[in-house]
mmCIF file of all heavy atoms in Angstrom:
data_model
loop_
_atom_site.group_PDB
_atom_site.id
_atom_site.type_symbol
_atom_site.label_atom_id
_atom_site.label_comp_id
_atom_site.label_asym_id
_atom_site.label_seq_id
_atom_site.Cartn_x
_atom_site.Cartn_y
_atom_site.Cartn_z
ATOM 1 N N ILE Z 1 46.656 23.578 5.633
ATOM 2 C CA ILE Z 1 46.078 23.037 4.403
ATOM 3 C C ILE Z 1 44.618 23.454 4.262
ATOM 4 O O ILE Z 1 43.936 23.005 3.350
ATOM 5 C CB ILE Z 1 46.243 21.504 4.291
ATOM 6 C CG1 ILE Z 1 45.567 20.775 5.442
ATOM 7 C CG2 ILE Z 1 47.714 21.141 4.178
ATOM 8 C CD1 ILE Z 1 45.472 19.278 5.247
ATOM 9 N N GLY Z 2 44.148 24.317 5.160
ATOM 10 C CA GLY Z 2 42.824 24.893 5.001
ATOM 11 C C GLY Z 2 41.976 24.893 6.254
ATOM 12 O O GLY Z 2 42.041 23.976 7.058
ATOM 13 N N ALA Z 3 41.185 25.951 6.378
ATOM 14 C CA ALA Z 3 40.276 26.065 7.516
ATOM 15 C C ALA Z 3 39.026 25.221 7.314
ATOM 16 O O ALA Z 3 38.336 24.894 8.270
ATOM 17 C CB ALA Z 3 39.886 27.525 7.731
ATOM 18 N N GLY Z 4 38.738 24.837 6.067
ATOM 19 C CA GLY Z 4 37.552 24.028 5.796
ATOM 20 C C GLY Z 4 37.830 22.541 5.712
ATOM 21 O O GLY Z 4 36.922 21.740 5.518
ATOM 22 N N VAL Z 5 39.090 22.147 5.866
ATOM 23 C CA VAL Z 5 39.481 20.739 5.789
ATOM 24 C C VAL Z 5 39.473 20.160 7.192
ATOM 25 O O VAL Z 5 40.127 20.688 8.086
ATOM 26 C CB VAL Z 5 40.894 20.589 5.171
ATOM 27 C CG1 VAL Z 5 41.308 19.131 5.129
ATOM 28 C CG2 VAL Z 5 40.936 21.220 3.793
ATOM 29 N N ARG Z 6 38.718 19.092 7.401
ATOM 30 C CA ARG Z 6 38.604 18.512 8.735
ATOM 31 C C ARG Z 6 39.111 17.079 8.752
ATOM 32 O O ARG Z 6 39.067 16.377 7.752
ATOM 33 C CB ARG Z 6 37.139 18.514 9.198
ATOM 34 C CG ARG Z 6 36.498 19.884 9.324
ATOM 35 C CD ARG Z 6 37.184 20.781 10.344
ATOM 36 N NE ARG Z 6 37.342 20.194 11.644
ATOM 37 C CZ ARG Z 6 36.482 20.310 12.651
ATOM 38 N NH1 ARG Z 6 35.375 20.999 12.504
ATOM 39 N NH2 ARG Z 6 36.724 19.745 13.821
ATOM 40 N N LEU Z 7 39.580 16.667 9.899
ATOM 41 C CA LEU Z 7 39.972 15.279 10.163
ATOM 42 C C LEU Z 7 39.017 14.750 11.223
ATOM 43 O O LEU Z 7 38.825 15.401 12.247
ATOM 44 C CB LEU Z 7 41.399 15.212 10.704
ATOM 45 C CG LEU Z 7 42.487 15.782 9.814
ATOM 46 C CD1 LEU Z 7 43.795 15.890 10.583
ATOM 47 C CD2 LEU Z 7 42.662 14.921 8.582
ATOM 48 N N HIS Z 8 38.453 13.609 10.983
ATOM 49 C CA HIS Z 8 37.515 13.044 11.954
ATOM 50 C C HIS Z 8 38.172 11.895 12.703
ATOM 51 O O HIS Z 8 38.920 11.113 12.124
ATOM 52 C CB HIS Z 8 36.234 12.602 11.255
ATOM 53 C CG HIS Z 8 35.480 13.754 10.679
ATOM 54 N ND1 HIS Z 8 34.677 14.556 11.427
ATOM 55 C CD2 HIS Z 8 35.471 14.271 9.430
ATOM 56 C CE1 HIS Z 8 34.166 15.517 10.657
ATOM 57 N NE2 HIS Z 8 34.641 15.363 9.448
ATOM 58 N N ARG Z 9 37.899 11.814 13.977
ATOM 59 C CA ARG Z 9 38.563 10.839 14.846
ATOM 60 C C ARG Z 9 38.405 9.398 14.373
ATOM 61 O O ARG Z 9 39.316 8.610 14.474
ATOM 62 C CB ARG Z 9 38.023 10.952 16.267
ATOM 63 C CG ARG Z 9 38.554 12.137 16.988
ATOM 64 C CD ARG Z 9 37.970 12.196 18.356
ATOM 65 N NE ARG Z 9 37.089 13.348 18.366
ATOM 66 C CZ ARG Z 9 36.520 13.839 19.422
ATOM 67 N NH1 ARG Z 9 36.678 13.255 20.570
ATOM 68 N NH2 ARG Z 9 35.776 14.899 19.354
ATOM 69 N N GLN Z 10 37.252 9.048 13.872
ATOM 70 C CA GLN Z 10 37.009 7.666 13.474
ATOM 71 C C GLN Z 10 37.563 7.345 12.087
ATOM 72 O O GLN Z 10 37.589 6.192 11.689
ATOM 73 C CB GLN Z 10 35.504 7.353 13.483
ATOM 74 C CG GLN Z 10 34.881 7.387 14.855
ATOM 75 C CD GLN Z 10 34.474 8.794 15.293
ATOM 76 O OE1 GLN Z 10 34.619 9.763 14.565
ATOM 77 N NE2 GLN Z 10 33.970 8.895 16.509
ATOM 78 N N ASP Z 11 37.975 8.337 11.325
ATOM 79 C CA ASP Z 11 38.412 8.139 9.950
ATOM 80 C C ASP Z 11 39.856 8.584 9.768
ATOM 81 O O ASP Z 11 40.133 9.659 9.272
ATOM 82 C CB ASP Z 11 37.505 8.914 8.985
ATOM 83 C CG ASP Z 11 36.063 8.476 9.086
ATOM 84 O OD1 ASP Z 11 35.831 7.277 9.245
ATOM 85 O OD2 ASP Z 11 35.174 9.327 8.995
ATOM 86 N N SER Z 12 40.780 7.740 10.161
ATOM 87 C CA SER Z 12 42.202 8.068 10.039
ATOM 88 C C SER Z 12 42.625 8.068 8.580
ATOM 89 O O SER Z 12 42.170 7.238 7.795
ATOM 90 C CB SER Z 12 43.044 7.045 10.798
ATOM 91 O OG SER Z 12 42.736 7.071 12.159
ATOM 92 N N PRO Z 13 43.520 8.975 8.207
ATOM 93 C CA PRO Z 13 44.054 8.957 6.841
ATOM 94 C C PRO Z 13 44.770 7.634 6.557
ATOM 95 O O PRO Z 13 45.334 7.014 7.457
ATOM 96 C CB PRO Z 13 45.044 10.122 6.819
ATOM 97 C CG PRO Z 13 44.588 11.019 7.920
ATOM 98 C CD PRO Z 13 44.035 10.103 8.971
ATOM 99 N N ILE Z 14 44.733 7.226 5.304
ATOM 100 C CA ILE Z 14 45.409 6.008 4.854
ATOM 101 C C ILE Z 14 46.367 6.366 3.726
ATOM 102 O O ILE Z 14 46.252 7.440 3.125
ATOM 103 C CB ILE Z 14 44.410 4.937 4.368
ATOM 104 C CG1 ILE Z 14 43.598 5.467 3.176
ATOM 105 C CG2 ILE Z 14 43.505 4.481 5.497
ATOM 106 C CD1 ILE Z 14 42.823 4.422 2.420
ATOM 107 N N ARG Z 15 47.308 5.473 3.447
ATOM 108 C CA ARG Z 15 48.183 5.683 2.299
ATOM 109 C C ARG Z 15 47.418 5.291 1.045
ATOM 110 O O ARG Z 15 46.802 4.236 0.963
ATOM 111 C CB ARG Z 15 49.461 4.859 2.418
ATOM 112 C CG ARG Z 15 50.430 5.222 1.286
ATOM 113 C CD ARG Z 15 51.788 4.642 1.475
ATOM 114 N NE ARG Z 15 51.726 3.187 1.424
ATOM 115 C CZ ARG Z 15 52.700 2.398 1.823
ATOM 116 N NH1 ARG Z 15 53.803 2.886 2.315
ATOM 117 N NH2 ARG Z 15 52.577 1.103 1.736
ATOM 118 N N PHE Z 16 47.451 6.170 0.050
ATOM 119 C CA PHE Z 16 46.761 5.976 -1.228
ATOM 120 C C PHE Z 16 47.806 6.241 -2.303
ATOM 121 O O PHE Z 16 48.037 7.390 -2.677
ATOM 122 C CB PHE Z 16 45.582 6.942 -1.310
ATOM 123 C CG PHE Z 16 44.709 6.786 -2.513
ATOM 124 C CD1 PHE Z 16 43.962 5.641 -2.690
ATOM 125 C CD2 PHE Z 16 44.619 7.795 -3.459
ATOM 126 C CE1 PHE Z 16 43.133 5.510 -3.795
ATOM 127 C CE2 PHE Z 16 43.804 7.669 -4.562
ATOM 128 C CZ PHE Z 16 43.054 6.515 -4.732
ATOM 129 N N GLY Z 17 48.494 5.183 -2.746
ATOM 130 C CA GLY Z 17 49.638 5.371 -3.627
ATOM 131 C C GLY Z 17 50.741 6.058 -2.851
ATOM 132 O O GLY Z 17 51.184 5.560 -1.819
ATOM 133 N N SER Z 18 51.165 7.217 -3.304
ATOM 134 C CA SER Z 18 52.209 7.985 -2.607
ATOM 135 C C SER Z 18 51.621 9.191 -1.879
ATOM 136 O O SER Z 18 52.315 10.170 -1.632
ATOM 137 C CB SER Z 18 53.261 8.449 -3.615
ATOM 138 O OG SER Z 18 52.653 9.284 -4.585
ATOM 139 N N LYS Z 19 50.337 9.111 -1.540
ATOM 140 C CA LYS Z 19 49.651 10.231 -0.877
ATOM 141 C C LYS Z 19 48.932 9.754 0.370
ATOM 142 O O LYS Z 19 48.685 8.564 0.545
ATOM 143 C CB LYS Z 19 48.608 10.847 -1.821
ATOM 144 C CG LYS Z 19 49.170 11.395 -3.102
ATOM 145 C CD LYS Z 19 48.058 11.919 -3.985
ATOM 146 C CE LYS Z 19 48.619 12.454 -5.298
ATOM 147 N NZ LYS Z 19 47.546 13.012 -6.129
ATOM 148 N N ALA Z 20 48.568 10.702 1.220
ATOM 149 C CA ALA Z 20 47.637 10.446 2.316
ATOM 150 C C ALA Z 20 46.239 10.708 1.770
ATOM 151 O O ALA Z 20 46.049 11.610 0.948
ATOM 152 C CB ALA Z 20 47.926 11.378 3.488
ATOM 153 N N ALA Z 21 45.269 9.928 2.224
ATOM 154 C CA ALA Z 21 43.889 10.116 1.753
ATOM 155 C C ALA Z 21 42.916 9.890 2.902
ATOM 156 O O ALA Z 21 43.167 9.072 3.787
ATOM 157 C CB ALA Z 21 43.585 9.149 0.614
ATOM 158 N N TRP Z 22 41.810 10.637 2.877
ATOM 159 C CA TRP Z 22 40.724 10.431 3.822
ATOM 160 C C TRP Z 22 39.438 10.923 3.188
ATOM 161 O O TRP Z 22 39.433 11.738 2.281
ATOM 162 C CB TRP Z 22 40.997 11.079 5.170
ATOM 163 C CG TRP Z 22 41.078 12.571 5.196
ATOM 164 C CD1 TRP Z 22 40.102 13.453 5.588
ATOM 165 C CD2 TRP Z 22 42.207 13.395 4.836
ATOM 166 N NE1 TRP Z 22 40.552 14.745 5.483
ATOM 167 C CE2 TRP Z 22 41.843 14.730 5.023
ATOM 168 C CE3 TRP Z 22 43.485 13.110 4.354
ATOM 169 C CZ2 TRP Z 22 42.706 15.785 4.751
ATOM 170 C CZ3 TRP Z 22 44.341 14.170 4.091
ATOM 171 C CH2 TRP Z 22 43.954 15.470 4.301
ATOM 172 N N ILE Z 23 38.329 10.370 3.669
ATOM 173 C CA ILE Z 23 37.004 10.712 3.139
ATOM 174 C C ILE Z 23 36.171 11.258 4.283
ATOM 175 O O ILE Z 23 36.183 10.720 5.387
ATOM 176 C CB ILE Z 23 36.312 9.479 2.529
ATOM 177 C CG1 ILE Z 23 37.098 8.982 1.313
ATOM 178 C CG2 ILE Z 23 34.872 9.801 2.141
ATOM 179 C CD1 ILE Z 23 36.559 7.711 0.698
ATOM 180 N N ILE Z 24 35.437 12.330 3.990
ATOM 181 C CA ILE Z 24 34.482 12.874 4.963
ATOM 182 C C ILE Z 24 33.112 12.955 4.296
ATOM 183 O O ILE Z 24 32.995 12.974 3.069
ATOM 184 C CB ILE Z 24 34.897 14.265 5.489
ATOM 185 C CG1 ILE Z 24 34.889 15.305 4.364
ATOM 186 C CG2 ILE Z 24 36.254 14.207 6.165
ATOM 187 C CD1 ILE Z 24 34.874 16.719 4.865
ATOM 188 N N GLY Z 25 32.077 13.025 5.096
ATOM 189 C CA GLY Z 25 30.728 13.237 4.598
ATOM 190 C C GLY Z 25 30.317 14.673 4.855
ATOM 191 O O GLY Z 25 30.707 15.265 5.859
ATOM 192 N N GLU Z 26 29.571 15.239 3.924
ATOM 193 C CA GLU Z 26 29.022 16.588 4.112
ATOM 194 C C GLU Z 26 27.512 16.490 4.044
ATOM 195 O O GLU Z 26 26.956 15.998 3.063
ATOM 196 C CB GLU Z 26 29.559 17.550 3.048
ATOM 197 C CG GLU Z 26 31.018 17.872 3.238
ATOM 198 C CD GLU Z 26 31.500 18.993 2.328
ATOM 199 O OE1 GLU Z 26 30.729 19.495 1.497
ATOM 200 O OE2 GLU Z 26 32.680 19.358 2.473
ATOM 201 N N ALA Z 27 26.864 16.954 5.097
ATOM 202 C CA ALA Z 27 25.422 16.819 5.206
ATOM 203 C C ALA Z 27 24.654 17.931 4.505
ATOM 204 O O ALA Z 27 23.514 17.736 4.110
ATOM 205 C CB ALA Z 27 25.014 16.771 6.678
ATOM 206 N N SER Z 28 25.252 19.116 4.346
ATOM 207 C CA SER Z 28 24.528 20.247 3.761
ATOM 208 C C SER Z 28 24.012 19.910 2.364
ATOM 209 O O SER Z 28 22.877 20.222 2.025
ATOM 210 C CB SER Z 28 25.407 21.496 3.728
ATOM 211 O OG SER Z 28 26.586 21.233 2.978
ATOM 212 N N VAL Z 29 24.837 19.314 1.552
ATOM 213 C CA VAL Z 29 24.440 18.732 0.269
ATOM 214 C C VAL Z 29 24.975 17.310 0.356
ATOM 215 O O VAL Z 29 26.192 17.123 0.319
ATOM 216 C CB VAL Z 29 25.099 19.467 -0.925
ATOM 217 C CG1 VAL Z 29 24.738 18.800 -2.227
ATOM 218 C CG2 VAL Z 29 24.736 20.937 -0.922
ATOM 219 N N PRO Z 30 24.099 16.319 0.525
ATOM 220 C CA PRO Z 30 24.609 14.973 0.785
ATOM 221 C C PRO Z 30 25.659 14.526 -0.239
ATOM 222 O O PRO Z 30 25.386 14.420 -1.436
ATOM 223 C CB PRO Z 30 23.358 14.106 0.705
ATOM 224 C CG PRO Z 30 22.232 15.030 1.045
ATOM 225 C CD PRO Z 30 22.650 16.356 0.464
ATOM 226 N N LYS Z 31 26.870 14.330 0.244
ATOM 227 C CA LYS Z 31 27.965 13.893 -0.610
ATOM 228 C C LYS Z 31 29.123 13.431 0.263
ATOM 229 O O LYS Z 31 29.182 13.725 1.454
ATOM 230 C CB LYS Z 31 28.431 15.011 -1.525
ATOM 231 C CG LYS Z 31 29.007 16.207 -0.801
ATOM 232 C CD LYS Z 31 29.341 17.329 -1.750
ATOM 233 C CE LYS Z 31 29.573 18.608 -0.957
ATOM 234 N NZ LYS Z 31 29.597 19.769 -1.780
ATOM 235 N N LEU Z 32 30.026 12.706 -0.358
ATOM 236 C CA LEU Z 32 31.294 12.354 0.260
ATOM 237 C C LEU Z 32 32.372 13.196 -0.395
ATOM 238 O O LEU Z 32 32.261 13.556 -1.564
ATOM 239 C CB LEU Z 32 31.606 10.874 0.059
ATOM 240 C CG LEU Z 32 30.650 9.893 0.711
ATOM 241 C CD1 LEU Z 32 30.992 8.468 0.300
ATOM 242 C CD2 LEU Z 32 30.677 10.037 2.224
ATOM 243 N N VAL Z 33 33.415 13.495 0.360
ATOM 244 C CA VAL Z 33 34.540 14.264 -0.168
ATOM 245 C C VAL Z 33 35.810 13.467 0.100
ATOM 246 O O VAL Z 33 36.096 13.105 1.245
ATOM 247 C CB VAL Z 33 34.636 15.664 0.477
ATOM 248 C CG1 VAL Z 33 35.836 16.420 -0.063
ATOM 249 C CG2 VAL Z 33 33.350 16.444 0.237
ATOM 250 N N LEU Z 34 36.554 13.182 -0.968
ATOM 251 C CA LEU Z 34 37.844 12.519 -0.868
ATOM 252 C C LEU Z 34 38.930 13.587 -0.900
ATOM 253 O O LEU Z 34 38.981 14.399 -1.831
ATOM 254 C CB LEU Z 34 38.045 11.555 -2.039
ATOM 255 C CG LEU Z 34 39.463 11.011 -2.241
ATOM 256 C CD1 LEU Z 34 39.859 10.096 -1.085
ATOM 257 C CD2 LEU Z 34 39.572 10.300 -3.576
ATOM 258 N N TYR Z 35 39.762 13.593 0.133
ATOM 259 C CA TYR Z 35 40.922 14.471 0.168
ATOM 260 C C TYR Z 35 42.165 13.625 -0.020
ATOM 261 O O TYR Z 35 42.272 12.544 0.562
ATOM 262 C CB TYR Z 35 41.044 15.192 1.517
ATOM 263 C CG TYR Z 35 40.037 16.275 1.742
ATOM 264 C CD1 TYR Z 35 38.962 16.092 2.604
ATOM 265 C CD2 TYR Z 35 40.173 17.513 1.109
ATOM 266 C CE1 TYR Z 35 38.041 17.106 2.826
ATOM 267 C CE2 TYR Z 35 39.254 18.528 1.323
ATOM 268 C CZ TYR Z 35 38.190 18.318 2.181
ATOM 269 O OH TYR Z 35 37.281 19.316 2.406
ATOM 270 N N THR Z 36 43.112 14.118 -0.832
ATOM 271 C CA THR Z 36 44.434 13.507 -0.911
ATOM 272 C C THR Z 36 45.466 14.604 -0.673
ATOM 273 O O THR Z 36 45.252 15.761 -1.026
ATOM 274 C CB THR Z 36 44.700 12.810 -2.260
ATOM 275 O OG1 THR Z 36 44.650 13.760 -3.324
ATOM 276 C CG2 THR Z 36 43.698 11.685 -2.504
ATOM 277 N N LEU Z 37 46.574 14.202 -0.060
ATOM 278 C CA LEU Z 37 47.642 15.139 0.262
ATOM 279 C C LEU Z 37 48.958 14.477 -0.095
ATOM 280 O O LEU Z 37 49.257 13.387 0.394
ATOM 281 C CB LEU Z 37 47.606 15.483 1.755
ATOM 282 C CG LEU Z 37 48.561 16.551 2.246
ATOM 283 C CD1 LEU Z 37 48.209 17.919 1.666
ATOM 284 C CD2 LEU Z 37 48.560 16.605 3.764
ATOM 285 N N ASP Z 38 49.734 15.132 -0.960
ATOM 286 C CA ASP Z 38 50.999 14.535 -1.388
ATOM 287 C C ASP Z 38 52.167 15.040 -0.540
ATOM 288 O O ASP Z 38 51.985 15.860 0.366
ATOM 289 C CB ASP Z 38 51.240 14.740 -2.881
ATOM 290 C CG ASP Z 38 51.503 16.185 -3.277
ATOM 291 O OD1 ASP Z 38 51.798 17.040 -2.415
ATOM 292 O OD2 ASP Z 38 51.420 16.471 -4.489
ATOM 293 N N ALA Z 39 53.368 14.546 -0.835
ATOM 294 C CA ALA Z 39 54.555 14.879 -0.047
ATOM 295 C C ALA Z 39 54.979 16.337 -0.182
ATOM 296 O O ALA Z 39 55.767 16.834 0.613
ATOM 297 C CB ALA Z 39 55.709 13.962 -0.433
ATOM 298 N N ASP Z 40 54.446 17.052 -1.176
ATOM 299 C CA ASP Z 40 54.679 18.494 -1.301
ATOM 300 C C ASP Z 40 53.595 19.295 -0.581
ATOM 301 O O ASP Z 40 53.537 20.509 -0.696
ATOM 302 C CB ASP Z 40 54.730 18.904 -2.777
ATOM 303 C CG ASP Z 40 55.973 18.384 -3.468
ATOM 304 O OD1 ASP Z 40 57.052 18.359 -2.828
ATOM 305 O OD2 ASP Z 40 55.881 17.987 -4.644
ATOM 306 N N LEU Z 41 52.720 18.585 0.119
ATOM 307 C CA LEU Z 41 51.579 19.143 0.860
ATOM 308 C C LEU Z 41 50.580 19.814 -0.069
ATOM 309 O O LEU Z 41 49.920 20.792 0.302
ATOM 310 C CB LEU Z 41 52.049 20.078 1.981
ATOM 311 C CG LEU Z 41 52.979 19.421 3.013
ATOM 312 C CD1 LEU Z 41 53.354 20.414 4.103
ATOM 313 C CD2 LEU Z 41 52.363 18.169 3.605
ATOM 314 N N LEU Z 42 50.447 19.269 -1.267
ATOM 315 C CA LEU Z 42 49.429 19.717 -2.219
ATOM 316 C C LEU Z 42 48.148 18.936 -1.942
ATOM 317 O O LEU Z 42 48.125 17.710 -2.042
ATOM 318 C CB LEU Z 42 49.896 19.479 -3.652
ATOM 319 C CG LEU Z 42 48.879 19.828 -4.738
ATOM 320 C CD1 LEU Z 42 48.550 21.320 -4.735
ATOM 321 C CD2 LEU Z 42 49.397 19.405 -6.095
ATOM 322 N N LEU Z 43 47.103 19.656 -1.576
ATOM 323 C CA LEU Z 43 45.817 19.053 -1.229
ATOM 324 C C LEU Z 43 44.915 19.012 -2.456
ATOM 325 O O LEU Z 43 44.798 19.994 -3.182
ATOM 326 C CB LEU Z 43 45.140 19.883 -0.131
ATOM 327 C CG LEU Z 43 43.809 19.361 0.372
ATOM 328 C CD1 LEU Z 43 44.010 18.105 1.208
ATOM 329 C CD2 LEU Z 43 43.103 20.430 1.198
ATOM 330 N N THR Z 44 44.285 17.860 -2.665
ATOM 331 C CA THR Z 44 43.296 17.698 -3.732
ATOM 332 C C THR Z 44 41.976 17.282 -3.096
ATOM 333 O O THR Z 44 41.949 16.440 -2.216
ATOM 334 C CB THR Z 44 43.761 16.625 -4.748
ATOM 335 O OG1 THR Z 44 45.030 17.001 -5.266
ATOM 336 C CG2 THR Z 44 42.768 16.477 -5.880
ATOM 337 N N ARG Z 45 40.888 17.885 -3.579
ATOM 338 C CA ARG Z 45 39.540 17.598 -3.076
ATOM 339 C C ARG Z 45 38.701 17.087 -4.234
ATOM 340 O O ARG Z 45 38.621 17.740 -5.277
ATOM 341 C CB ARG Z 45 38.935 18.871 -2.504
ATOM 342 C CG ARG Z 45 37.496 18.749 -2.071
ATOM 343 C CD ARG Z 45 36.940 20.118 -1.699
ATOM 344 N NE ARG Z 45 35.497 20.103 -1.652
ATOM 345 C CZ ARG Z 45 34.778 20.081 -0.533
ATOM 346 N NH1 ARG Z 45 35.395 20.114 0.630
ATOM 347 N NH2 ARG Z 45 33.472 20.050 -0.586
ATOM 348 N N VAL Z 46 38.058 15.925 -4.051
ATOM 349 C CA VAL Z 46 37.186 15.346 -5.062
ATOM 350 C C VAL Z 46 35.840 15.062 -4.414
ATOM 351 O O VAL Z 46 35.778 14.325 -3.418
ATOM 352 C CB VAL Z 46 37.777 14.042 -5.640
ATOM 353 C CG1 VAL Z 46 36.822 13.427 -6.660
ATOM 354 C CG2 VAL Z 46 39.136 14.296 -6.259
ATOM 355 N N GLU Z 47 34.768 15.631 -4.965
ATOM 356 C CA GLU Z 47 33.425 15.386 -4.441
ATOM 357 C C GLU Z 47 32.842 14.147 -5.085
ATOM 358 O O GLU Z 47 32.946 13.954 -6.301
ATOM 359 C CB GLU Z 47 32.523 16.588 -4.693
ATOM 360 C CG GLU Z 47 32.952 17.804 -3.920
ATOM 361 C CD GLU Z 47 31.988 18.974 -4.073
ATOM 362 O OE1 GLU Z 47 30.930 18.831 -4.713
ATOM 363 O OE2 GLU Z 47 32.317 20.055 -3.554
ATOM 364 N N ILE Z 48 32.228 13.299 -4.252
ATOM 365 C CA ILE Z 48 31.607 12.069 -4.716
ATOM 366 C C ILE Z 48 30.120 12.160 -4.366
ATOM 367 O O ILE Z 48 29.752 12.238 -3.211
ATOM 368 C CB ILE Z 48 32.233 10.848 -4.034
ATOM 369 C CG1 ILE Z 48 33.753 10.838 -4.238
ATOM 370 C CG2 ILE Z 48 31.609 9.554 -4.521
ATOM 371 C CD1 ILE Z 48 34.505 9.903 -3.331
#
């Protein structure tokens, strides 16, 4: 699902409707990134 997508030990994915979801922080440009992954393994990235 990508070389730039990371999973962090302290932040386990949760169920978000019918998808898996997790949030990471990016320090280079301070922001949070919400990832969702559906049952077809379609990844969505939303910057917050």
Side-chain angles (χ1 to χ4, degrees):
I1 60 169
V5 178
R6 298 299 307 268
L7 301 169
H8 295 280
R9 284 179 249 189
Q10 294 84 2
D11 301 321
S12 298
I14 61 167
R15 187 170 64 194
F16 185 66
S18 61
K19 300 177 181 182
W22 65 100
I23 296 176
I24 65 163
E26 289 189 357
S28 58
V29 177
K31 63 185 166 193
L32 296 174
V33 178
L34 167 67
Y35 287 105
T36 62
L37 186 66
D38 68 16
D40 290 323
L41 302 182
L42 176 63
L43 182 72
T44 303
R45 174 188 164 104
V46 178
E47 294 185 5
I48 305 165

